[in-house]
Amino acid sequence: MPTIDVPSTHRALVVTTPGGRGVLAVEALPVPEPGAGQVLVEVAAAGVNFIDVYKREAIYPIPTPFVLGDEFAGTVVAVGPGVTATEVGQVVATTEARGAMATYALAAADRVVPVPDTLAADVACAAMLQGMTAHYLTTSTYPIQAGDRVLVHAAAGGVGQLLVQLAKARGAHVVATVGSAAKVAIAEAAGADVVLRYDEIDDLAAAVREASDGGVHVAYDGVGKATFEASLASLRRRGMLALFGGASGQVPPFDLQRLNAAGSLFVTRPTLAHYVATREELLWRSGEVLGAIADGRLRLEVGGRYPLERAADAYEALEGRATTGKLLLIP
């Protein structure tokens, strides 16, 4: 088995205490050693995601200090006892690294996936969480059928662009929403049939219903608090609202009887972990996404690459919804 020299210390982005972007610090830490069933990866790129914000702010409580980040791609430099399917020198990616924003990071060997030889590691990293999220939403949460009317919020963002492309590939009529003139062209380039500026429309739900022949079969909403009511009101009878994020804040509790009165509606709050719970499902979703990007069937935009020292700038762009693609940290 090949061997790769690994230093004793490395650089890592640490959440020093729960709070805003100012609690982030780059620190020198010992390089972790892989335990049983684990691999140690030299990180080529780490993904910047909203779940990082939830963890940093203790919406998802984690004892501090801790190294931030779940998503990475890079080269395996060491394997722990019992690892046989993953080898040193192999390029892999994962969304479950637990400390991805560092020069080196650990992951469970059965939760990393192979990266195609024709795909750059940083692009593979950019595809993992957002790509598999768009995949499960369109194939499993609400399996889109040809002719379905679909609403995609924040369609110029990383997940939004992928959702539009995957929905169109399945034969949907896509109504997209964006927040600026510059983002209209991005959503149109992804394939959206109708693009609405929610910053210019007083009654967004009415505009969506008009653009979708009376309402959509499914609304994919990763914005949350600011768009939830419009998403719900945009649905046709027995439609589904898939609330997969809260970029504008968390949706407050509401009366479930409203779903009855509005047409026997469905609301679900899915998360990626439940759609890649088995190794087989993980390999299926990642394989389809990475393969489609590698052969050009799916277009992915990297919106910015930042060094660890500029992590706060990356999160400022993400939290301010100023991004038009995936943001990466390059350790």
Side-chain angles (χ1 to χ4, degrees):
M1 179 179 292
T3 59
I4 297 177
D5 290 335
V6 178
S8 59
T9 62
H10 70 143
R11 300 163 61 252
L13 183 67
V14 176
V15 176
T16 57
T17 188
R21 294 182 290 273
V23 306
L24 298 173
V26 179
E27 299 183 3
L29 299 175
V31 172
E33 293 187 5
Q38 290 184 317
V39 295
L40 178 66
V41 173
E42 184 174 10
V43 178
V48 176
N49 299 301
F50 263 100
I51 192 171
D52 308 331
V53 178
Y54 304 153
K55 291 180 177 181
R56 188 194 73 213
E57 295 179 344
I59 294 172
Y60 298 167
I62 298 175
T64 54
F66 65 91
V67 180
L68 191 60
D70 296 337
E71 180 183 37
F72 73 55
T75 303
V76 176
V77 295
V79 301
V83 176
T84 57
T86 305
E87 298 181 349
V88 170
Q90 185 175 3
V91 180
V92 298
T94 187
T95 60
E96 301 176 47
R98 306 298 183 266
M101 293 175 174
T103 314
Y104 294 90
L106 293 174
D110 64 355
R111 303 309 293 171
V112 301
V113 301
V115 172
D117 294 339
T118 56
L119 195 61
D122 62 338
V123 176
C125 174
M128 285 294 289
L129 190 146
Q130 293 183 341
M132 290 196 297
T133 295
H135 187 276
Y136 84 71
L137 286 169
T138 55
T139 63
S140 301
T141 301
Y142 180 91
I144 294 174
Q145 304 297 314
D148 280 348
R149 268 46 182 171
V150 172
L151 171 62
V152 176
H153 285 301
V159 177
Q161 291 185 53
L162 295 171
L163 276 171
V164 171
Q165 292 177 72
L166 291 177
K168 290 302 299 178
R170 295 176 71 89
H173 175 90
V174 177
V175 180
T177 70
V178 297
S180 70
K183 293 181 177 181
V184 170
I186 295 170
E188 289 177 340
D193 296 283
V194 178
V195 182
L196 301 174
R197 290 271 303 274
Y198 49 68
D199 59 327
E200 292 184 338
I201 297 173
D202 292 330
D203 190 340
L204 180 59
V208 172
R209 291 194 301 271
E210 181 179 355
S212 59
D213 300 322
V216 294
H217 295 86
V218 60
Y220 294 118
D221 191 339
V223 178
K225 186 177 181 179
T227 54
F228 179 80
E229 291 294 336
S231 294
L232 204 62
S234 297
L235 297 176
R236 62 180 59 197
R237 187 181 298 117
R238 291 164 54 183
M240 175 182 287
L241 197 172
L243 178 71
F244 65 93
S248 66
Q250 301 305 307
V251 175
F254 76 104
D255 183 3
L256 291 176
Q257 286 295 342
R258 291 179 57 194
L259 304 179
N260 178 2
S264 296
L265 304 181
F266 297 85
V267 174
T268 182
R269 180 59 176 89
T271 189
L272 175 61
H274 298 151
Y275 287 86
V276 292
T278 67
R279 176 73 176 162
E280 292 74 20
E281 195 168 21
L282 172 64
L283 290 174
W284 168 51
R285 295 198 193 281
S286 64
E288 289 208 348
V289 169
L290 296 180
I293 293 171
D295 66 20
R297 286 177 291 122
L298 190 61
R299 184 175 56 82
L300 176 74
E301 179 186 359
V302 176
R305 295 173 173 86
Y306 298 78
L308 292 183
E309 288 79 7
R310 290 189 57 209
D313 294 337
Y315 283 106
E316 181 178 13
L318 181 75
E319 294 169 59
R321 294 165 65 185
T323 61
T324 59
K326 179 73 174 190
L327 301 184
L328 299 174
L329 295 186
I330 309 298

